[in-house]
Amino acid sequence: MPSVPASPVWRSVRSGSAPPLAKLFLIGAGMTAASTLPLLFADGIGSLATMMFISGVFFAPTMIVALSIGETAVPPSKLTEGLTWLTAGLGIGVAAGAAVSGGVVARFGVQAGFTIALAAGALILAAAFWGYRRLSWIESDSAAASASEVVSRAGAQG
């Protein structure tokens, strides 16, 4: 549901002269991580639902960027496998987060369980920072490969 309001904004960003995917991933990871901070201050179902909605607004575009990076980084013959690994990793992360959060909530209380979301946000931000240079290379290599492909096709036809 939160991806609905994020969709028009995302479309407008990607239709113009959008920043590179690596930069968008870093921004999305930062916003996703930042949106986990208010969870520590949830004082009821209403505030929690609002905070989760806002968090989802930032998470949905970040997942789109991650899948776009996967599509760019993986050779076309391995695209299905690459996207499968990405979605499997997401499922594993969600399952692990639920299991760890459940244990933390059982042992330390509900409020402590939100620290797991905070840790997950910090982890995605750290991964985005760690991978930023490599992702930039992948995207520039892909653009160069696409440009050389166009040139070689034009040469073959002419």
Side-chain angles (χ1 to χ4, degrees):
M1 181 70 174
S3 59
V4 173
S7 180
V9 174
W10 172 249
R11 190 171 310 127
S12 69
V13 166
R14 289 303 295 166
S15 64
S17 59
L21 288 173
K23 184 175 257 185
L24 286 174
F25 186 68
L26 191 58
I27 292 167
M31 296 306 291
T32 299
S35 70
T36 63
L37 289 170
L39 295 175
L40 297 173
F41 306 105
D43 61 356
I45 296 294
S47 66
L48 178 60
T50 302
M51 291 174 198
M52 292 301 294
F53 183 86
I54 292 168
S55 186
V57 166
F58 295 111
F59 180 73
T62 305
M63 281 307 304
I64 293 168
V65 171
L67 292 171
S68 296
I69 289 170
E71 185 178 4
T72 303
V74 175
S77 63
K78 303 272 186 181
L79 184 58
T80 304
E81 181 181 354
L83 294 179
T84 300
W85 278 109
L86 283 169
T87 54
L90 175 63
I92 291 167
V94 168
V100 171
S101 294
V104 168
V105 167
R107 185 165 182 164
F108 301 107
V110 173
Q111 203 65 26
F114 293 125
T115 60
I116 303 306
L118 187 67
L123 184 63
I124 190 172
L125 185 57
F129 273 117
W130 178 79
Y132 181 75
R133 274 183 56 184
R134 177 67 182 130
L135 293 175
S136 298
W137 291 341
I138 289 169
E139 195 164 2
S140 64
D141 288 350
S142 176
S146 296
S148 66
E149 232 174 72
V150 169
V151 170
S152 67
R153 284 185 196 158
Q157 293 175 353

